[in-house]
Amino acid sequence: MILAGDVALVTGGGAGIGEAIAHRLARDGAAVLVADLMAERAERVAVELRAAGLRAAPFTLDVAEEQQAAAAVAAAEAEFGPLRIAVCNAGITDRVPALEMSRRDFERILRTNLTGCFVTAQAAARTMVRHGKGGRIVTTSSVSGQFGGTGRVAYGASKAGIISLTQVLAMELAQHGILVNCVAPGPTQVARTAHGPKQRAAFLNHMALQRYATPAEIAAGVAFLCSDDAGFVTGHVLNVDGGFAAAGVLYDPADGP
């Protein structure tokens, strides 16, 4: 129970990677506030965790609303005690060519992904500074924030922004003993990445490990960054991507030139 006694907030915790993170941190001993825009999803995950004898509570949250983010932090502390871990995971995506994307949709994605990450991290950091006992903040970016990809003008921009946000927060919060790091998943098998065969082949052609990640594998990276084993790690982007970021031209020489 490497996180025994810790209190964690996980945004987007009602499905996909966020759900896996909530389960992993709870199994590692943390009390988890499962925050999600959809109340029924947050409730379902919290019920599952409590049924397993773990500590969890649901919270309905629009991450981009500053007052709601502060309320989520307050709820976690009222329920379980001083917050030590915040995982800013909530996000949405779209697949629209840049020339066809409306400003409204562009801003909607940035509002949830980037602004939501900022106000959640800010609210968590403020209470961690006030307690004076340090803490861990982990953001969720993506390999799409590191490389250009078609149909990802808003999503990629938001995820690139999260990387810079993480690094700035790491520098500013180090004096308070708060470590801020980022997990950047590669293609992960969740409902929203129900890729068709052509898109799936395009991803796998750029990966050393010829498969998608499971949400639990992304959650393992988050759990490491929340643990004492990562006590000298801050401002870091941990790619959990099957070799996607390391890849160049991939082909079998046996196939000929």
Side-chain angles (χ1 to χ4, degrees), residues 61-89:
L61 172 66
D62 180 345
V63 289
E65 293 293 337
E66 186 176 4
Q67 292 182 344
Q68 290 188 33
V73 171
E77 297 206 319
E79 183 78 23
F80 300 117
L83 186 74
R84 182 178 178 274
I85 296 167
V87 183
C88 307
N89 168 78

Side-chain angles (χ1 to χ4, degrees), residues 39-64:
E40 63 274 17
R41 297 197 311 196
E43 178 68 25
R44 176 185 59 80
V45 174
V47 167
E48 290 174 357
L49 292 174
R50 290 196 297 261
L54 304 172
R55 295 183 297 162
F59 190 87
T60 306
L61 172 66
D62 180 345
V63 289

Side-chain angles (χ1 to χ4, degrees), residues 1-8 21-32 49 53-56 80 84-85 223 226:
M1 304 291 278
I2 60 175
L3 301 179
D6 288 343
V7 176
I21 292 169
H23 274 268
R24 176 59 188 262
L25 298 187
R27 290 199 308 273
D28 284 353
V32 179
L49 292 174
L54 304 172
R55 295 183 297 162
F80 300 117
R84 182 178 178 274
I85 296 167
C226 292

Side-chain angles (χ1 to χ4, degrees), residues 103-184:
R103 174 177 170 176
R104 179 179 180 180
D105 285 342
F106 185 88
E107 291 178 344
R108 174 178 61 87
I109 292 172
L110 263 68
R111 177 185 179 275
T112 297
N113 295 3
L114 183 54
T115 303
C117 183
F118 167 65
V119 298
T120 303
Q122 183 186 59
R126 283 173 171 166
T127 196
M128 291 174 185
V129 169
R130 190 163 56 248
H131 294 316
K133 297 182 180 179
R136 300 284 196 275
I137 297 174
V138 180
T139 64
T140 303
S141 180
S142 168
V143 293
S144 292
Q146 301 169 359
F147 306 97
T150 55
R152 287 170 171 75
V153 65
Y155 183 74
S158 71
K159 293 301 185 177
I162 286 172
I163 291 173
S164 181
L165 172 66
T166 300
Q167 293 167 337
V168 172
L169 290 176
M171 298 304 103
E172 293 190 2
L173 297 175
Q175 63 180 309
H176 302 289
I178 301 170
L179 308 184
V180 189
N181 292 289
C182 178
V183 167

